[in-house]
Amino acid sequence: MKLFGLTVLYKDGSSKVKEMAVAHEVSSFGYFQRSSIKEFMDFTSKIITERTATCSRASVKENEYMCHVYVRSDGLSGVLIGDHEYPQRVAHTLLNKVLDEFAAKYPKSNWDVLSSGQINFPQLNEYLQKYQNPKEADAMTKIQNDLDETKIILHNTIDAVLQRGEKLDDLVDKSEGLSTQSKAFYKTAKKTNQCCVIL
């Protein structure tokens, strides 16, 4: 998973789009390609913002890249460009956060008169670096990843027991910790589930 560009733009009432602030991460590309890639990302960000309706979000696929865009009701917009593996939910969470912080630092009354050269918004570079690993940057993704790992560990533990020649049925029968009712429930559940197995 990789992020390559994060841009804040302003889409005025006439649908003209102006770049306000931009951050790029192009270190994975060849040195002589980097400036062209930056230009292409800036161009793509403007086009996607122009063609996205106000008050809407979209994720647009271009070859192996995904362009996530959010155009707010006030015209402030954000575009995040990453690879197709990057989670959409995390991408749109980042766009929300960036646009809220930008609007807090630069009020709407300034958006028409400001140009990208007048705006100092280093948070874009910080977020672009921080969100490279969505599992670390986003709490929900981290929790889901931890749950997936726990599920794998539990599955591996049961497999390890069964690989030693023991069967779960034998363990249930031998168990003194289970009541007769629990053992009967286990056997009934097992029979019920067997009817659905396709041989």
Side-chain angles (χ1 to χ4, degrees):
M1 287 180 268
K2 183 98 174 120
L3 294 176
F4 303 105
L6 178 57
T7 311
V8 176
L9 307 105
Y10 174 54
K11 182 177 181 178
D12 66 16
S14 65
S15 293
K16 288 186 180 177
V17 175
K18 177 169 68 167
E19 185 179 280
M20 306 292 271
V22 64
H24 299 107
E25 170 44 61
V26 292
S27 61
S28 60
F29 297 98
Y31 179 77
F32 295 107
Q33 296 175 312
R34 292 177 185 173
S35 63
S36 297
I37 289 168
K38 287 178 184 179
E39 285 179 20
F40 182 75
M41 284 194 289
D42 295 345
F43 172 78
T44 303
S45 296
K46 284 184 179 178
I47 294 295
I48 289 174
T49 303
E50 281 175 8
R51 299 190 179 174
T52 301
T54 304
C55 300
S56 65
R57 301 172 185 277
S59 292
V60 180
K61 187 172 183 354
E62 173 58 34
N63 294 325
E64 65 268 16
Y65 304 104
M66 287 294 287
C67 303
H68 307 281
V69 60
Y70 175 35
V71 180
R72 298 183 351 167
S73 60
D74 58 9
L76 193 63
S77 311
V79 176
L80 181 66
I81 299 175
D83 62 17
H84 67 280
E85 294 175 352
Y86 201 87
Q88 287 186 21
R89 189 190 59 74
V90 180
H92 287 286
T93 299
L94 173 57
L95 289 173
N96 267 353
K97 180 180 279 229
V98 165
L99 295 179
D100 288 346
E101 286 187 22
F102 186 88
K105 186 170 183 178
Y106 295 100
K108 183 178 179 173
S109 57
N110 297 333
W111 297 346
D112 280 324
V113 294
L114 286 173
S115 66
S116 61
Q118 299 171 307
I119 296 172
N120 181 24
F121 195 61
Q123 291 90 328
L124 278 186
N125 284 310
E126 293 167 14
Y127 280 128
L128 195 57
Q129 293 307 313
K130 179 181 176 186
Y131 275 76
Q132 287 296 330
N133 183 353
K135 294 172 191 161
E136 293 301 318
D138 181 67
M140 289 296 289
T141 304
K142 186 170 178 27
I143 290 169
Q144 183 62 49
N145 190 51
D146 292 345
L147 288 173
D148 291 343
E149 286 178 9
T150 303
K151 187 171 144 184
I152 289 167
I153 290 167
L154 289 174
H155 182 70
N156 288 342
T157 303
I158 290 173
D159 281 349
V161 168
L162 297 177
Q163 288 172 359
R164 289 195 306 255
E166 294 179 305
K167 293 183 180 175
L168 194 54
D169 292 343
D170 295 339
L171 293 175
V172 169
D173 287 338
K174 292 177 188 176
S175 173
E176 294 175 11
L178 291 174
S179 67
T180 308
Q181 185 179 1
S182 294
K183 289 179 183 179
F185 174 78
Y186 170 78
K187 289 177 182 178
T188 305
K190 187 172 180 185
K191 285 179 186 175
T192 304
N193 289 336
Q194 282 180 341
C195 74
C196 303
V197 175
I198 298 173
L199 300 175

